[in-house]
Amino acid sequence: MTKTLLEDLKRRTGFTEQHAGLLQDLGRYMTPMASEIALAFYDYLGRDPEMRAILWAVPGRVERLYGRFAGWYRELFSGVYDEHYAESRRRIGLVHARLGIRPAFIIPAMGIVQELSLEHMNSVLKASELLAAVEAFEKIIAIELTIIQESYNEAVEAGIRAGMASSEAALTQGAELLLREKA
């Protein structure tokens, strides 16, 4: 399912091997920003009381998340966007869903990632390189967010099939069931 979704998303966004190569080339400029972007992302999320409660509910969670986020950001510029990539993004969505972190938190926070990334591109790239770089980056972000959103939908459906009455329980318990299937 993930492979089919990824291929559909590439087609719908117009994401090509040229975009993949461009993102990989951008990596030399962008991956050094991973830690800074992780800090900004979690600073933004931490301003929301509900997210702050989730993020700091377990000692050391935020510190682990910084590292994972930085790894995720570096992978954006790997140049490899295959079935394994899509499945890892699906899993990210399911882990968020299991914790009750809804898209309404993640999608706005991704705006921080986009803003800081685009500012950095603007400062390090030649004007003639900028449009193609932004286009490739925006396409991969659209793919990322859609895969994560689809994993939320999948979790809710699994939760409903399992008999969860509330949408919150369907989301969290459905995600737990799906994560156990793949473990």
Side-chain angles (χ1 to χ4, degrees):
M1 179 180 123
T2 312
K3 182 180 179 182
T4 303
L5 174 61
L6 178 62
E7 294 307 316
D8 287 346
L9 291 173
K10 285 180 177 180
R11 180 180 46 78
R12 288 178 183 139
T13 61
F15 188 86
T16 66
E17 288 303 314
Q18 282 183 303
H19 294 111
L22 182 53
L23 287 167
Q24 187 174 22
D25 291 344
L26 278 172
R28 66 181 173 190
Y29 299 115
M30 303 308 291
T31 59
M33 298 286 298
S35 294
E36 179 182 333
I37 291 177
L39 286 171
F41 183 82
Y42 286 105
D43 178 60
Y44 172 84
L45 288 173
R47 289 184 226 147
D48 182 276
E50 193 175 343
M51 274 305 306
R52 188 172 43 253
I54 292 169
L55 290 171
W56 278 270
V58 176
R61 176 182 280 166
V62 172
E63 292 76 14
R64 284 190 313 276
L65 291 173
Y66 282 134
R68 288 186 181 147
F69 182 95
W72 166 83
Y73 188 78
R74 286 184 205 96
E75 286 178 7
L76 280 177
F77 302 97
S78 70
V80 178
Y81 312 99
D82 57 11
E83 187 175 3
H84 174 74
Y85 155 83
E87 182 57 33
S88 75
R89 283 4 190 213
R90 175 185 174 265
R91 192 164 177 75
I92 288 169
L94 291 174
V95 169
H96 284 90
R98 180 180 62 192
L99 294 172
I101 301 170
R102 297 180 311 278
F105 294 117
I106 299 304
I107 293 171
M110 285 298 288
I112 297 296
V113 173
Q114 290 173 288
E115 180 182 328
L116 293 174
S117 297
L118 295 173
E119 282 177 12
H120 188 64
M121 282 181 211
N122 193 43
S123 70
V124 299
L125 297 176
K126 297 175 189 168
S128 61
E129 302 170 317
L130 194 55
L131 182 59
V134 169
E135 178 182 302
F137 182 73
E138 292 296 326
K139 287 177 187 299
I140 200 62
I141 292 295
I143 290 169
E144 291 271 335
L145 288 173
T146 304
I147 292 171
I148 291 171
Q149 177 64 50
E150 288 298 314
S151 70
Y152 278 77
N153 296 343
E154 184 184 3
V156 169
E157 290 171 11
I160 290 169
R161 282 192 308 273
M164 301 299 138
S166 74
S167 60
E168 185 70 23
L171 176 68
T172 59
Q173 297 304 308
E176 180 67 34
L177 291 169
L178 292 169
L179 287 166
R180 274 196 239 140
E181 281 179 8
K182 295 287 183 175

